[in-house]
Amino acid sequence: MNKSLSFKYFKYEYSKNLKMLLYMGVVGFVCYIIPIFSMEPNIHTKTTNVGLIITLFALACYIIPIFMNAYRYNKKLANRNYSCPISRFALLNVNYLVGLINIITFYTVFYFLGMLIVAIKLPAYAIVYYIPLYFVILLIGICVYTLNYFIASRANTVIDAVIFIIMYTFVFSMIVGVVQDLFPASYKVNEKFITFSEFAQWGNAYNKCIATNKSLMIVDDSPVFIWSEPVITVTDCIVTFVVLPIVAITSYVLLMIMAKKESAENTSEISNSYFGYRVLNPVYMTCAIALCIYTYSFNENILTLLILIGIFTVLYLALNFIYYRKFKLPMKEWIIYGATIVVGVILALIMVNNKSEGTVYVLQFLRHLRQLQI
């Protein structure tokens, strides 16, 4: 009985959201198909415009999760959905799957339609590389969509959902940036942990494979290689095939665990989840303070440092005003703010000390090599 009702609810939600798929199709046609038709059949253009459909797919992975969680942000919709005679697990899974099916359908149809047009207009291109690129981007998209769906589900208003997704887009990069400066690494890889980064990395690499008919090369993260060649780094592979799937699986499991606590009472209320402002604000402020002090401690640009700290303080307070929906913040938030400053300064001092020791070690090593040569 429950399965039958869940299937009926799935059919209802899918048919209701077909209009969304139609709108996506119009955007895809205008922003991807028309530009491809206008491409000049010139092998020297070195582009396939495949980046356009990847960009549209990536945007869908950020926007559609908010639409699929829309019933959480409206009391009327919440009362209707939560009163359905189906389990909370079914409710979450149906909305999750409907959104996922829509973006995969959109991506698949327009991706291969674009591939067909490029194959006709530019037969010299290596069309075979479209196939592995499709599956890699599909994997990235599913992982990012799942993460964003979970994040959007932790918000009780549309504004909170948008802010949460934007903050999670960069928070992993900031944390990795601090960690790699605490334990100095040879190469900086924190930008690869921005959640949309891998869409661009793999899209650019395979675009060169298609346009130049050269095989994709996997290289280390050293900057010493020719960027005009179709290359992808080891870190990109780890992030794409290990980190993102782990994050997506964790997000889905947490979504199911928290399904029992879902109720219409939370709709439009303060988004008090630990996956929202309560943790994100202090993490951002701590990382920002640490990275600013570390970056500007060597060139002694105190004015710039103070301006940046002021900007991050304003953002921190603004997000708390949005969180509490009032300008008078509780004392605990001021205590947390002070703690983030202290922790950020401590982390920055450790990072500066580690860099100084590393610099001394390198200088000693070079001096030793020079003595051996003499």
Side-chain angles (χ1 to χ4, degrees):
M1 180 67 177
N2 285 334
K3 290 184 178 180
S4 175
L5 289 174
S6 297
F7 184 68
K8 288 181 179 178
Y9 179 67
F10 174 82
K11 289 195 297 182
Y12 166 75
E13 283 294 329
Y14 186 76
S15 60
K16 186 182 73 173
N17 284 281
L18 281 177
K19 187 183 294 185
M20 176 198 301
L21 186 59
L22 177 62
Y23 291 150
M24 293 169 66
V26 172
V27 173
F29 183 81
V30 173
C31 297
Y32 181 53
I33 299 302
I34 292 179
I36 286 184
F37 271 117
S38 65
M39 284 176 59
E40 294 294 331
N42 183 354
I43 188 64
H44 299 294
T45 56
K46 302 299 181 185
T47 183
T48 62
N49 279 337
V50 71
L52 293 176
I53 186 60
I54 293 175
T55 300
L56 293 175
F57 180 51
L59 287 173
C61 293
Y62 287 85
I63 297 172
I64 300 305
I66 298 175
F67 279 97
M68 298 314 301
N69 279 284
Y71 68 90
R72 299 172 183 274
Y73 317 137
N74 182 288
K75 285 191 177 294
K76 183 178 179 180
L77 292 176
N79 288 326
R80 186 200 68 185
N81 282 34
Y82 286 123
S83 64
C84 291
I86 59 174
S87 68
R88 294 289 186 267
F89 298 101
L91 182 66
L92 285 170
N93 277 310
V94 165
N95 284 278
Y96 169 82
L97 286 174
V98 168
L100 186 61
I101 291 171
N102 277 345
I103 66 171
I104 290 177
T105 302
F106 162 75
Y107 169 60
T108 301
V109 170
F110 281 92
Y111 184 90
F112 286 105
L113 180 58
M115 182 186 75
L116 179 62
I117 295 171
V118 171
I120 295 172
K121 292 179 67 70
L122 299 167
Y125 276 9
I127 302 301
V128 66
Y129 288 110
Y130 267 91
I131 305 303
L133 176 60
Y134 169 81
F135 287 105
V136 172
I137 296 299
L138 180 63
L139 172 64
I140 297 170
I142 292 173
C143 293
V144 172
Y145 171 86
T146 304
L147 170 63
N148 287 332
Y149 188 91
F150 169 69
I151 295 167
S153 74
R154 298 305 91 205
N156 293 331
T157 67
V158 175
I159 293 176
D160 290 340
V162 172
I163 293 173
F164 286 0
I165 287 179
I166 292 173
M167 293 180 77
Y168 269 97
T169 299
F170 302 99
V171 70
F172 301 115
S173 177
M174 293 192 72
I175 294 172
V176 172
V178 171
V179 171
Q180 70 184 7
D181 286 327
L182 283 172
F183 308 97
S186 301
Y187 313 111
K188 303 294 185 181
V189 297
N190 57 300
E191 73 279 358
K192 298 183 185 297
F193 288 83
I194 299 173
T195 55
F196 60 76
S197 173
E198 294 309 313
F199 285 108
Q201 299 293 340
W202 288 94
N204 289 334
Y206 268 110
N207 178 70
K208 293 170 185 174
C209 290
I210 297 167
T212 63
N213 199 14
K214 294 181 180 179
S215 299
L216 184 68
M217 297 183 293
I218 300 177
V219 300
D220 60 25
D221 290 276
S222 169
V224 186
F225 54 78
I226 302 174
W227 279 104
S228 60
E229 296 296 315
V231 297
I232 204 77
T233 68
V234 173
T235 301
D236 288 316
C237 294
I238 293 173
V239 171
T240 300
F241 300 112
V242 179
V243 176
L244 282 178
I246 290 175
V247 169
I249 292 170
T250 303
S251 298
Y252 184 79
V253 170
L254 288 172
L255 189 68
M256 293 300 102
I257 292 175
M258 297 179 180
K260 295 180 180 179
K261 300 180 181 179
E262 299 294 333
S263 68
E265 296 177 358
N266 296 326
T267 304
S268 299
E269 298 298 321
I270 290 176
S271 300
N272 208 27
S273 170
Y274 281 102
F275 292 95
Y277 299 112
R278 296 176 70 176
V279 172
L280 284 175
N281 283 1
V283 168
Y284 258 92
M285 193 63 188
T286 301
C287 292
I289 293 295
L291 292 172
C292 284
I293 294 176
Y294 172 72
T295 302
Y296 291 96
S297 61
F298 288 95
N299 57 21
E300 299 181 355
N301 196 337
I302 303 300
L303 180 60
T304 302
L305 175 60
L306 292 176
I307 291 174
L308 287 174
I309 292 176
I311 291 173
F312 282 114
T313 297
V314 170
L315 290 174
Y316 177 86
L317 294 176
L319 289 172
N320 273 300
F321 294 151
I322 296 172
Y323 171 26
Y324 286 101
R325 301 179 190 176
K326 60 184 180 180
F327 290 105
K328 185 178 180 180
L329 300 179
M331 181 56 65
K332 69 174 183 178
E333 286 301 332
W334 294 105
I335 295 173
I336 292 173
Y337 170 72
T340 62
I341 298 293
V342 173
V343 175
V345 170
I346 293 173
L347 290 174
L349 293 175
I350 296 173
M351 290 152 62
V352 170
N353 181 66
N354 288 346
K355 183 171 182 178
S356 299
E357 290 182 354
T359 302
V360 171
Y361 175 78
V362 171
L363 291 174
Q364 290 176 345
F365 179 72
L366 292 175
R367 190 179 298 115
H368 179 66
L369 285 179
R370 187 178 300 172
Q371 290 174 351
L372 289 177
Q373 290 175 352
I374 295 173

